[in-house]
Coordinates of all heavy atoms in Angstrom, one line a residue:
G31 N 102.5 85.0 69.6 CA 103.1 83.7 69.2 C 102.4 83.1 68.0 O 103.1 82.6 67.2
G32 N 101.1 83.3 67.9 CA 100.4 82.8 66.8 C 100.8 83.6 65.5 O 101.0 83.0 64.5
K33 N 100.9 84.9 65.6 CA 101.4 85.7 64.4 C 102.8 85.3 64.1 O 103.2 85.3 62.9 CB 101.3 87.2 64.7 CG 99.8 87.6 64.9 CD 99.0 87.4 63.7 CE 97.6 87.9 64.0 NZ 96.7 87.7 62.8
F34 N 103.7 85.0 65.1 CA 105.0 84.6 64.8 C 105.0 83.3 64.0 O 105.8 83.2 63.0 CB 105.8 84.4 66.1 CG 107.1 83.7 65.9 CD1 108.2 84.3 65.2 CD2 107.3 82.4 66.3 CE1 109.4 83.7 65.0 CE2 108.5 81.8 66.1 CZ 109.5 82.4 65.5
L35 N 104.2 82.3 64.4 CA 104.2 81.1 63.7 C 103.6 81.2 62.3 O 104.1 80.6 61.3 CB 103.3 80.1 64.5 CG 103.9 79.5 65.7 CD1 102.9 78.6 66.5 CD2 105.2 78.8 65.5
E36 N 102.6 82.1 62.1 CA 102.1 82.4 60.8 C 103.2 83.0 59.9 O 103.3 82.6 58.7 CB 100.9 83.3 60.8 CG 99.6 82.7 61.3 CD 98.5 83.8 61.4 OE1 98.7 84.8 60.7 OE2 97.5 83.5 62.0
S37 N 103.9 84.0 60.4 CA 104.8 84.7 59.5 C 106.1 83.8 59.3 O 106.7 83.9 58.2 CB 105.3 86.0 60.2 OG 105.8 85.7 61.5
S38 N 106.5 83.0 60.2 CA 107.6 82.1 60.0 C 107.3 81.0 59.0 O 108.1 80.5 58.3 CB 108.2 81.6 61.3 OG 107.2 80.7 61.9
A39 N 106.0 80.6 59.0 CA 105.6 79.6 58.0 C 105.5 80.2 56.6 O 105.8 79.5 55.6 CB 104.2 79.0 58.4
R40 N 105.1 81.4 56.6 CA 105.0 82.1 55.3 C 106.4 82.5 54.7 O 106.6 82.3 53.5 CB 104.2 83.4 55.5 CG 103.8 84.0 54.2 CD 102.8 85.2 54.4 NE 101.6 84.8 55.1 CZ 101.0 85.4 56.0 NH1 101.5 86.6 56.4 NH2 99.9 85.0 56.6
Q41 N 107.3 82.9 55.6 CA 108.7 83.3 55.1 C 109.7 82.7 56.1 O 110.2 83.3 57.0 CB 108.8 84.8 55.1 CG 108.0 85.5 54.0 CD 108.2 87.0 54.0 OE1 108.7 87.6 54.9 NE2 107.9 87.5 52.8
P42 N 110.1 81.4 55.8 CA 111.0 80.8 56.8 C 112.4 81.4 56.8 O 113.1 81.3 57.8 CB 111.1 79.3 56.2 CG 110.1 79.2 55.1 CD 109.6 80.6 54.8
E43 N 112.8 82.2 55.8 CA 114.1 82.8 55.8 C 114.2 83.9 56.8 O 115.3 84.3 57.2 CB 114.5 83.3 54.4 CG 113.7 84.4 53.8 CD 112.4 83.9 53.1 OE1 112.1 82.7 53.1 OE2 111.7 84.8 52.6
L44 N 113.1 84.5 57.2 CA 113.1 85.6 58.2 C 112.9 85.1 59.7 O 112.7 85.9 60.6 CB 112.0 86.6 57.9 CG 112.2 87.3 56.6 CD1 111.0 88.2 56.3 CD2 113.5 88.1 56.6
M45 N 112.9 83.8 59.9 CA 112.6 83.2 61.2 C 113.5 83.7 62.3 O 113.0 84.1 63.4 CB 112.6 81.7 61.2 CG 112.0 81.1 62.4 SD 112.0 79.3 62.5 CE 111.2 78.9 61.0
N46 N 114.8 83.8 62.1 CA 115.7 84.3 63.1 C 115.4 85.7 63.5 O 115.5 86.1 64.7 CB 117.2 84.1 62.7 CG 117.6 82.7 62.6 OD1 117.0 81.8 63.3 ND2 118.5 82.4 61.7
L48 N 112.6 87.4 63.1 CA 111.3 87.5 63.8 C 111.3 86.9 65.2 O 110.7 87.4 66.1 CB 110.3 86.7 62.9 CG 109.9 87.3 61.6 CD1 109.0 86.3 60.8 CD2 109.2 88.6 61.8

Side-chain angles (χ1 to χ4, degrees):
K33 296 298 180 180
F34 167 72
L35 289 176
E36 284 180 18
S37 60
S38 63
R40 192 174 300 137
Q41 293 182 338
E43 65 274 3
L44 295 177
M45 189 181 307
N46 290 333
L48 292 172

